[in-house]
Amino acid sequence: APIVAAASRLQGHVTSGAATPSQIAALTALTDPSCDAAVEGMHLAFTRRRELMLAGLAQLPGVDTFAPDGAFYLYVDVSRHLGPGTRFADDLALGTWLLEQEMVATVPGTAFGTPGFLRISYATDDESLREGLVRLQRAFASLPTGR
């Protein structure tokens, strides 16, 4: 019992707070004026990437895309390509096929309680996003239009 009590006290201090380097980085980001330009640059880059992805994904047949208010990923409705009369039973099967067929990684919406969707990140460089869109367009062009 004394060992468990000591381990519990230690665990609470080790896992319940932000690490010191993270706290120092946050303080710097909030107080150092030179960080403003970096933050603005990241904001512009992610806005550009979001728009690039929205435009590219809008070209996929049988897919609906929604612009996020904030995030670094898009949630794509692929439900018309799933279920009876289609090639894929669910979003996991479609996501697996995209990975195996075109080497495009997505996360099935089922993992977030929203079956029929895929989560696609745009937290990478523009060239990788363009290549990913080419691969997605090739993949979806090979499928029937959907239900």
Side-chain angles (χ1 to χ4, degrees):
I3 293 172
V4 170
S8 292
R9 284 193 303 276
L10 178 63
Q11 181 272 336
H13 293 290
V14 172
T15 63
S16 296
T20 301
S22 299
Q23 292 180 41
I24 293 169
L27 179 62
T28 301
L30 292 171
T31 60
D32 184 343
S34 68
C35 292
D36 291 344
V39 170
E40 180 60 24
M42 286 186 279
H43 179 263
L44 291 172
F46 277 88
T47 299
R48 182 184 67 249
R49 292 172 185 156
R50 181 191 66 214
E51 297 308 312
L52 171 70
M53 291 298 290
L54 285 170
L57 294 171
Q59 303 303 309
L60 302 181
V63 172
D64 294 312
T65 306
F66 308 95
D69 291 330
F72 52 87
Y73 56 86
L74 299 172
Y75 233 43
V76 181
D77 182 348
V78 294
S79 60
R80 287 186 276 166
H81 291 284
L82 309 176
T86 70
R87 183 172 177 175
F88 306 104
D90 55 26
D91 52 355
L92 179 59
L94 176 55
T96 300
W97 179 77
L98 287 170
L99 183 60
E100 292 171 351
Q101 200 66 27
E102 293 291 345
M103 296 178 51
V104 173
T106 63
V107 181
T110 298
F112 304 100
T114 52
F117 286 77
L118 294 176
R119 185 172 119 161
I120 301 175
S121 173
Y122 55 90
T124 190
D125 62 281
D126 294 15
E127 186 53 38
S128 295
L129 294 175
R130 285 187 195 90
E131 177 62 27
L133 286 169
V134 166
R135 293 176 185 198
L136 285 168
Q137 289 165 350
R138 184 171 52 225
F140 278 90
S142 74
L143 298 174
T145 304
R147 297 182 282 126

